[in-house]
Amino acid sequence: MRLTSYTDFGLRALLYLATLPEGELSSVAKVSALYGVSRNHMVKVVNQLVKLGYLQSQRGKNGGIRMACDPATINIGQVIRALEGNLDGIDCGSPACHIVSVCLLKSALKEAMDAFLAVMDSYTLQDLLANREELQRVFGELIPTLVLEPENDDES
């Protein structure tokens, strides 16, 4: 199972923001620079995480983004389901496949996906922060070296 970059960076954004002191604001520019992804891509990811209620966004000069809920309440399997566009593992209709009526691959991939999601359902964001101090150290070493793209006021 390979997650889309959208989901990958959504999970990474949550991991970073959850290491910050409670209520502390960060920025999309900082998160995108931290992970080396375009700010435009991260804006889309963050906006979805805000809509889902995982993050809060505060607009304006002193604005930014922060966690909206306790990491212990964020189920990783649910985050993946919410961010991934296609969890079927295969698209039998594009291009049209001639063996669809007799193929067992789709059901095997569905079984594998269900097993993957069952494992991810057993984790919360808090579980992935068991090494919080190590994560904070790594982020702390990276942040002074970041080159940030300027933020627009309409994007947090």
Side-chain angles (χ1 to χ4, degrees), residues 3-4 24 27 81 130 140 143:
L3 299 175
T4 61
E24 184 174 316
S27 68
R81 284 180 186 87
I143 287 172

Side-chain angles (χ1 to χ4, degrees), residues 31-135:
V31 177
S32 61
L34 185 64
Y35 292 119
V37 64
S38 82
R39 191 173 56 77
N40 288 339
H41 185 63
M42 190 58 76
V43 164
K44 293 174 190 170
V45 173
V46 165
N47 284 340
Q48 182 67 21
L49 292 170
V50 169
K51 286 179 190 170
L52 293 167
Y54 298 124
L55 299 180
Q56 287 180 335
S57 174
Q58 185 173 317
R59 297 187 184 279
K61 183 178 179 185
N62 296 317
I65 53 175
R66 66 176 153 230
M67 295 300 300
C69 49
D70 185 338
T73 67
I74 299 176
N75 180 277
I76 299 302
Q78 291 302 320
V79 174
I80 291 170
R81 284 180 186 87
L83 296 180
E84 278 295 307
N86 177 3
L87 290 170
D88 292 335
I90 192 169
D91 181 3
C92 299
S94 178
C97 182
H98 301 291
I99 62 170
V100 168
S101 62
V102 295
C103 183
L104 300 178
L105 179 60
K106 186 168 186 166
S107 63
L109 288 171
K110 167 115 176 66
E111 184 180 346
M113 183 64 68
D114 290 346
F116 168 76
L117 289 170
V119 170
M120 299 315 292
D121 282 338
S122 70
Y123 288 92
T124 67
L125 182 58
Q126 186 64 45
D127 295 328
L128 302 182
L129 296 170
N131 64 339
R132 177 185 229 112
E133 292 79 20
E134 292 173 79
L135 287 167

Side-chain angles (χ1 to χ4, degrees), residues 14-34:
L14 289 172
L15 277 168
Y16 168 65
L17 293 168
T19 64
L20 299 177
E22 187 175 341
E24 184 174 316
L25 289 168
S26 188
S27 68
V28 172
K30 186 179 281 185
V31 177
S32 61
L34 185 64

